[in-house]
Amino acid sequence: MSASGGISLPFTAIGAECLSSTGTSSLRSPASPPPVTQRSITRDSAEMADIDNKDQPEMDPADMEDVEDVEEEETGEDENSKARQLTVQMMQNPQILAALQERLDGLSGSPSGYMESLPKVVKRRVNALKNLQVKCAHIEAKFYEEVHELERKYAALYQPLFDKRSDIVKAAYEPTDEECEWKADEEEELTVSKQDEMKEKAKLEEEKKDEEKEDPKGIPEFWSTVFKNVDLLSDMLQEHDEPILKHLQDIKVKFSVLEQPMSFTLEFLFEPNDFFTNTLLTKTYKMRSEPDENDPFSFDGPEIMCCTGCTIDWTKGKNVTLKTIKKKQKHKGRGTVRTVTKTVPNDSFFNFFTPPEVPESGELDEDSEAVLAADFEIGHFIRERIVPRAVLYFTGEAIEDDDDDYDEEGEEADDEEGEEEADEENDPDYDPKV
């Protein structure tokens, strides 16, 4: 989570493309510590040598003899060699190492030495650049607000197509032959004989179905299949969730209008079922697109600040988010045993609609923060990928595209590993037995 308590969203496709044209790039934090070099270690080691003797344990006589031997051998050597020897000796002392590490840790988050060394007049100008950067962050925030408005505008254009998709899935509309005609890609095209064979087979199957009087409506289990095909969502599914998701008919995304605070709502539409009386379950994500006054340089696009679910009106005995367990308790004095029935939370996808509440302070424990971070990722994924491309996740084509991307990265990694192995074999000092 960011300093403001929110979690930055990934760039939308249009947002990333537009932003890349503005030339915006990440900045190295001014608080980054300077790199530790051999020279800096030597200098710090020498300074540690001036620590009061009362704070340092006396050297073992044997160690002193080693030091004397080294000094005798170094007679006539240059100053750099002496400094290196001194560093080696210092690094063998645990107290020196601990003090040096403490000093290095203290550099973390502190201004770089380079900035401190700048003349006052130059520092003033750097401050002016930082003020300009803050103004850039505020302009970037406005950019994302307009991106959100653009998303809302195009969502209205997409919605009629999504509504028709929903009608086909739930058998409210039967597409025409022309709408069902699909031209296969060149790789998918079959030979004429193969096509004839497939047509004949399809005809026989149709006749068989007519005889059996089977007539499936729409596209059965469309959304539950989408959920099963996507790892991010299937990890949330439990066996007792699957019968409920078979009744899911559609998922919609509703964006806030320009006058309202930035947000989006996921709407899950269910047909009447035996599990709950709701026909609509909602999840709303509230966002913010403005830099934090206390840390403006951390701004990296809209942040999801919190999310709210809805109450599910479960039918008695059908609440899959709870389970009943029985425990035996033994009385310490009398030794009698009794059985206690308790209701405890149960793993379920439908816990998605009861997320942890974000306190006004924005401070969360680690477990709640991890749950919310995962929740925000899932909500954003459903909005950006699942709803717009549902049919491709149903068929698995979108998943194959994702796998291809990962394979390419893996191949690159394998190539790099192969290069390293080749370098080792060409190394004259390389010993495969070691």
Side-chain angles (χ1 to χ4, degrees):
M1 298 183 79
S2 69
S4 59
I7 294 184
S8 296
L9 286 171
F11 289 9
T12 60
I14 185 172
E17 184 176 347
C18 294
L19 187 57
S20 64
S21 65
T22 64
T24 305
S25 60
S26 60
L27 298 175
R28 178 180 176 182
S29 170
S32 300
V36 179
T37 62
Q38 177 67 38
R39 182 175 298 178
S40 64
I41 292 177
T42 304
R43 181 177 66 253
D44 291 337
S45 301
E47 291 175 358
M48 294 304 166
D50 294 334
I51 297 176
D52 193 341
N53 290 333
K54 66 182 180 181
D55 294 332
Q56 300 294 326
E58 294 183 0
M59 272 191 165
D60 188 276
D63 293 338
M64 292 299 295
E65 292 177 3
D66 292 339
V67 172
E68 291 174 359
D69 293 339
V70 170
E71 290 177 348
E72 289 176 2
E73 293 173 2
E74 288 179 345
T75 303
E77 292 183 352
D78 57 22
E79 293 298 326
N80 289 337
S81 178
K82 292 180 180 180
R84 285 195 296 271
Q85 293 291 348
L86 177 61
T87 299
V88 172
Q89 295 167 26
M90 291 297 181
M91 293 300 100
Q92 294 174 350
N93 190 317
Q95 283 74 25
I96 293 292
L97 285 174
L100 179 57
Q101 184 61 49
E102 183 178 353
R103 174 164 182 163
L104 292 175
D105 291 342
L107 291 175
S108 179
S110 62
S112 66
Y114 175 72
M115 283 296 300
E116 292 298 324
S117 67
L118 292 176
K120 185 176 181 180
V121 65
V122 177
K123 290 181 181 178
R124 289 180 67 255
R125 295 166 188 154
V126 171
N127 289 337
L129 296 184
K130 292 171 71 175
N131 286 327
L132 291 175
Q133 189 61 41
V134 172
K135 292 181 180 180
C136 286
H138 283 282
I139 293 175
E140 186 179 353
K142 294 296 181 183
F143 163 78
Y144 282 112
E145 289 179 3
E146 293 194 20
V147 168
H148 184 74
E149 174 62 16
L150 198 60
E151 286 181 318
R152 189 189 68 81
K153 174 184 174 182
Y154 276 87
L157 300 178
Y158 288 130
Q159 196 55 51
L161 302 177
F162 295 157
D163 289 341
K164 194 167 188 178
R165 176 181 70 187
S166 177
D167 288 341
I168 294 174
V169 168
K170 62 186 182 183
Y173 172 77
E174 183 63 33
T176 64
D177 291 340
E178 183 180 354
E179 291 174 322
C180 294
E181 186 69 27
W182 177 256
K183 183 179 180 180
D185 296 335
E186 292 182 1
E187 296 179 358
E188 299 174 355
E189 290 182 354
L190 304 174
T191 62
V192 176
S193 58
K194 188 69 175 177
Q195 288 178 353
D196 293 340
E197 180 183 342
M198 294 293 290
K199 287 179 180 179
E200 185 64 26
K201 184 177 180 181
K203 184 178 179 180
L204 293 174
E205 289 179 354
E206 288 294 331
E207 292 176 354
K208 183 179 179 181
K209 287 181 180 180
D210 291 338
E211 292 175 359
E212 297 175 354
K213 295 183 179 180
E214 291 184 358
D215 185 19
K217 302 296 183 182
I219 304 179
E221 302 182 21
F222 178 83
W223 288 102
S224 60
T225 302
V226 170
F227 274 55
K228 291 177 185 178
N229 284 346
V230 179
D231 290 341
L232 187 64
L233 302 179
S234 64
D235 290 343
M236 302 169 62
L237 294 183
Q238 307 297 322
E239 186 175 351
H240 47 254
D241 294 325
E242 295 182 14
I244 308 176
L245 284 177
K246 290 180 180 180
H247 298 283
L248 178 60
Q249 292 183 314
D250 198 12
I251 303 177
K252 295 182 178 181
V253 180
K254 299 287 186 178
F255 291 92
S256 59
V257 298
L258 186 60
E259 295 78 14
Q260 296 176 338
M262 187 182 294
S263 67
F264 68 92
T265 300
L266 301 177
E267 296 183 348
F268 294 74
L269 286 79
F270 287 82
E271 65 181 354
N273 59 82
D274 297 332
F275 298 92
F276 45 71
T277 58
N278 311 66
T279 56
L280 176 66
L281 301 181
T282 61
K283 185 74 170 287
T284 300
Y285 292 86
K286 296 180 180 178
M287 300 182 292
R288 183 179 69 177
S289 181
E290 60 183 29
D292 184 358
E293 293 182 359
N294 298 323
D295 188 16
F297 301 134
S298 66
F299 180 75
D300 192 25
E303 295 175 322
I304 294 179
M305 305 305 298
C306 64
C307 57
T308 54
C310 66
T311 301
I312 302 178
D313 300 320
W314 293 99
T315 304
K316 186 177 180 180
K318 298 288 188 177
N319 189 346
V320 296
T321 64
L322 299 175
K323 64 180 178 180
T324 302
I325 60 173
K326 294 182 179 180
K327 283 189 175 182
K328 292 184 177 180
Q329 295 180 341
K330 185 176 182 180
H331 194 279
K332 294 182 179 178
R334 296 191 297 269
T336 57
V337 178
R338 67 174 183 176
T339 301
V340 178
T341 301
K342 294 179 63 177
T343 301
V344 297
N346 191 27
D347 290 337
S348 169
F349 163 75
F350 291 91
N351 290 323
F352 178 71
F353 297 97
T354 54
E357 294 185 3
V358 179
E360 293 182 2
S361 63
E363 296 180 0
L364 296 166
D365 57 62
E366 291 185 3
D367 291 340
S368 297
E369 185 172 331
V371 170
L372 276 179
D375 188 296
F376 294 170
E377 181 184 2
I378 292 166
H380 185 71
F381 188 80
I382 293 175
R383 163 198 163 184
E384 288 289 315
R385 304 292 296 275
I386 297 299
V387 172
R389 310 178 69 198
V391 65
L392 300 182
Y393 285 99
F394 176 81
T395 62
E397 293 169 78
I399 302 167
E400 292 173 1
D401 291 341
D402 293 341
D403 291 342
D404 290 342
D405 293 339
Y406 284 113
D407 289 342
E408 290 175 2
E409 293 178 2
E411 289 173 3
E412 291 177 1
D414 292 341
D415 292 342
E416 292 176 359
E417 184 178 351
E419 292 176 2
E420 291 178 0
E421 292 177 355
D423 291 340
E424 289 179 348
E425 293 175 358
N426 293 330
D427 187 349
D429 298 327
Y430 172 67
D431 187 354
K433 296 180 181 180
V434 178

